Amino acid sequence: MSAVLSLQGLTVALPRGADRPEALRQVSLDLNAGEILCVVGESGSGKSMMASAIMRLLPGNVRIAGGSILFEGRDLTQVDEAAMRALRGARIAMVFQEPMTALNPLRSIGDQIAEMFRIHTSLSTSEIEARVLALLAEVRIPEPAQAARAFPHELSGGQRQRAMIAMALALDPLVLIADEPTTALDVTTQAQILALIRDLQQRKGTAVLFITHDFGVVAEIADRVAVMQHGLLVEQGRAADVLHQPQHDYTKALIAAVPPLKAPPPRAISSETILTLEGVQKTYRSGGLFGRKRRETHAVRDVTLSLPKGGTLGVVGESGSGKSTLARCITRLVQADGGAIRLDDVDLLHLSKREARQAARRVQMVFQDPYASLNPRRRAGELVAQGPMIHGMARDAAMAKARELFALVGLDPAAIERFPHEFSGGQRQRIGLARALALEPEVLVADEPVSALDVSVQAQVLKLLADLRERLGLSIVFITHDLRVAAQVCDLVAVMKDGVVVEHGPIAEVFEAPRHAYTKALLASVPGRGFGA
């Protein structure tokens, strides 16, 4: 196979004061015609910086310090900006990780795709409109004409990503760079996008550079794999060879951290119930002003579940299934409209303010994005000590407790003086855990606590949660859309769709012999289903 894109000794220098001198160091890599090359590695490995360097979209304080990027006989490190503008979109196109930030919120989807033709071709307005609709149909967006008129916020996450792919493929580029294009998507939508990219690549012969940290995705679509660590290319080869016979220790560690879809042997758990949900309901209402029709969204419908003492109940489903709303009902961050939520014999839905404040100590929450949920202006120790201080503990005692909790979750107690931005993503999630544990809760509600983490950090946080459950006797409600994670940490699982629990039971039984068609569809959509430690 011939290389359509070749990196030779590429070095990208970081500004003074960064965590290392170079984002990329002496990286040599070929992308061959008609193949999908997956570049895999954790945050900070340099894989996204590689994509930005190829597109010549590096931040202003980051520069190419050496090497070459050869494409169609030219070294892209040497061409001027006008030449790069002519190449971007037309010959080398890119799909970004988060389409909501990459798309212009003030312009319709159709107009943004049409811009590619207006800039790079001499097609008439009617011809461009026809091409836009054909592209939207090609990426399987339903009702293309309606989607073309829609603004980004009016489409689902999966539809926005399809629109980005349509824009990238508008001019039949020779190379498509996809930077974590499925990370934020539900498992079924992710499977659809992966199938779409593979299908388009095969039909159009496009060479795809696919950047990811998910080895399940790699197992699903890669022809070849390149593994990055700290700016270095540590291993590359055929997908089957790298996945099943990895040579480098780092590759072996990443693959070992991938959780299998199969649940481990069941733990012995208590027959005593600590949390009971009976017929829980929550409906959101919007509209009704200026003659507009009032709209109702039934987020949670008649949910009945129970959590055994010391057990972990997983709640799985896609975005919009109601699982996060259910978590917020349990923690009283959202007031349920009906039903009962009982903690032992206390109904959390019918308490006075004073009683609710006391009950809040017993049920605490760990949020999906610790950076968004931690006040950036407060030191980490203060954030952890805040709960005990609100409930009457003296500041010195609360700060001493924060130090103890930092040690408990595997952080240096001296780090209580640092601010949230000075920690890594995995460390911030540990701070979120420490804050939730500060009031010594009996029930921990964890809402997608590892979905934004690299696979090895994810494995560390999951192990920490399991250790804390055993040491502190915690009972956990674990919300996730990642079925591999659910299989490893949950004793029981409830599958939600459109606000309804469609199936529940012991995790091994549900995953090995699912009864409901939706559960079967979710399990069938897990990328690289047979792959995992």
Side-chain angles (χ1 to χ4, degrees):
M1 298 178 78
S2 59
V4 295
L5 180 71
S6 181
L7 311 185
Q8 297 183 359
L10 183 63
T11 297
V12 174
L14 291 170
R16 184 174 298 176
D19 62 343
R20 63 178 189 262
E22 297 109 3
L24 298 172
R25 185 167 12 129
Q26 292 288 322
V27 172
S28 296
L29 186 68
D30 287 342
L31 174 65
N32 297 317
E35 75 168 355
I36 295 180
L37 170 63
C38 279
V39 179
V40 63
E42 298 177 289
S43 297
S45 64
K47 57 189 189 298
S48 290
M49 200 66 79
M50 177 195 294
S52 297
I54 294 168
M55 298 295 287
R56 291 274 302 276
L57 293 173
L58 291 169
N61 58 352
V62 178
R63 62 185 178 84
I64 295 175
S68 59
I69 303 170
L70 302 179
F71 177 72
E72 294 191 319
R74 286 189 286 180
D75 182 355
L76 301 186
T77 68
Q78 303 300 317
V79 302
D80 59 24
E81 181 56 27
M84 279 306 304
R85 279 199 301 270
L87 286 174
R88 290 190 199 108
R91 304 299 290 155
I92 306 177
M94 188 161 177
V95 179
F96 296 91
Q97 178 174 354
E98 180 42 72
M100 196 61 178
T101 57
L103 292 169
N104 188 330
L106 302 178
R107 296 173 61 191
S108 70
I109 293 295
D111 187 45
Q112 295 185 63
I113 298 174
E115 186 175 28
M116 300 293 297
F117 296 106
R118 289 195 293 266
I119 292 173
H120 293 282
T121 74
S122 57
L123 294 174
S124 67
T125 300
S126 60
E127 288 174 322
I128 290 174
E129 289 176 354
R131 293 286 289 273
V132 168
L133 294 180
L135 276 167
L136 290 173
E138 189 172 24
V139 297
R140 300 173 197 157
I141 289 183
E143 300 181 21
Q146 182 177 328
R149 294 190 297 271
F151 290 87
H153 72 274
E154 297 178 300
L155 300 181
S156 69
Q159 288 174 330
R160 285 194 293 267
Q161 198 58 282
R162 288 170 188 269
M164 281 287 298
I165 293 171
M167 192 182 305
L169 294 174
L171 300 174
D172 292 329
L174 191 62
V175 171
L176 176 67
I177 300 173
D179 188 6
E180 300 271 14
T182 62
T183 297
L185 302 179
D186 295 315
V187 62
T188 52
T189 308
Q190 181 185 58
Q192 292 164 9
I193 295 297
L194 292 176
L196 173 64
I197 290 175
R198 170 62 87 181
D199 177 59
L200 292 172
Q201 174 260 335
Q202 291 177 341
R203 286 195 290 111
K204 293 177 176 288
T206 309
V208 179
L209 186 70
F210 195 106
I211 294 168
T212 184
H213 67 266
D214 188 337
F215 268 98
V217 169
V218 174
E220 189 75 21
I221 68 164
D223 297 312
R224 287 194 306 119
V225 181
V227 183
M228 298 284 298
Q229 182 189 25
H230 303 320
L232 296 172
L233 182 59
V234 299
E235 184 167 355
Q236 61 177 309
R238 291 176 55 251
D241 295 337
V242 174
L243 291 174
H244 301 293
Q245 294 179 314
Q247 301 301 305
H248 197 276
D249 287 344
Y250 178 67
T251 311
K252 294 175 183 177
L254 287 181
I255 291 174
V258 177
L261 191 56
K262 183 178 177 63
R267 297 185 311 129
I269 54 176
S270 173
S271 58
E272 189 177 350
T273 298
I274 188 170
L275 183 71
T276 304
L277 282 60
E278 294 179 356
V280 177
Q281 309 266 359
K282 179 61 187 178
T283 300
Y284 293 108
R285 295 173 176 84
S286 60
L289 298 175
F290 309 113
R292 288 184 294 180
K293 186 177 180 181
R294 190 173 180 83
R295 187 171 63 183
E296 292 189 344
T297 302
H298 300 286
V300 175
R301 309 186 194 196
D302 196 27
V303 169
T304 298
L305 294 168
S306 61
L307 172 66
K309 239 176 197 177
T312 299
L313 169 66
V315 182
V316 304
E318 298 172 291
S319 294
S321 63
K323 59 189 189 296
S324 288
T325 296
L326 184 65
R328 283 158 172 74
C329 288
I330 294 169
T331 52
R332 290 176 57 92
L333 293 175
V334 166
Q335 183 63 41
D337 297 328
I341 300 175
R342 293 192 177 89
L343 184 62
D344 290 330
D345 295 326
V346 177
D347 187 349
L348 300 180
L349 300 187
H350 301 93
L351 299 176
S352 66
K353 284 187 178 180
R354 182 177 175 278
E355 291 171 330
R357 184 173 174 178
Q358 291 303 313
R361 301 185 62 160
R362 303 177 64 191
V363 183
Q364 288 289 296
M365 189 160 182
V366 179
F367 296 91
Q368 176 175 359
D369 184 351
Y371 196 62
S373 62
L374 297 173
N375 187 334
R377 298 182 179 181
R378 302 283 295 276
R379 297 182 190 275
E382 294 172 346
L383 294 170
V384 174
Q386 187 177 27
M389 284 165 40
I390 288 172
H391 285 269
M393 185 178 287
R395 177 181 173 79
D396 287 349
M399 293 302 292
K401 184 165 191 174
R403 290 186 182 89
E404 293 173 4
L405 287 165
F406 263 52
L408 181 68
V409 299
L411 293 172
D412 182 355
I416 64 169
E417 298 299 326
R418 291 158 57 186
F419 290 92
H421 73 273
E422 297 178 277
F423 295 90
S424 69
Q427 288 172 328
R428 284 195 291 266
Q429 196 57 282
R430 289 172 186 263
I431 295 170
L433 270 170
R435 183 175 61 172
L437 296 173
L439 292 174
E440 300 178 6
E442 299 165 55
V443 174
L444 199 63
V445 180
D447 187 8
E448 299 273 13
V450 296
S451 63
L453 303 179
D454 292 318
V455 62
S456 63
V457 181
Q458 182 185 82
Q460 294 166 14
V461 173
L462 293 176
K463 183 177 185 304
L464 173 62
L465 268 174
D467 290 344
L468 293 173
R469 179 183 60 191
E470 300 302 321
R471 291 166 62 184
L472 305 178
L474 286 171
S475 306
I476 301 174
V477 178
F478 194 96
I479 311 292
T480 185
H481 69 268
D482 189 329
L483 302 190
R484 289 179 180 272
V485 168
Q488 300 312 301
V489 301
C490 300
D491 302 302
L492 307 167
V493 66
V495 182
M496 288 191 73
K497 183 180 189 299
D498 299 330
V500 176
V501 174
V502 297
E503 185 166 358
H504 66 94
I507 187 84
E509 291 182 15
V510 171
F511 277 24
E512 290 172 15
R515 297 185 303 276
H516 197 277
Y518 178 67
T519 310
K520 295 176 183 177
L522 285 181
L523 290 165
S525 299
V526 176
R529 290 183 297 280
F531 183 75

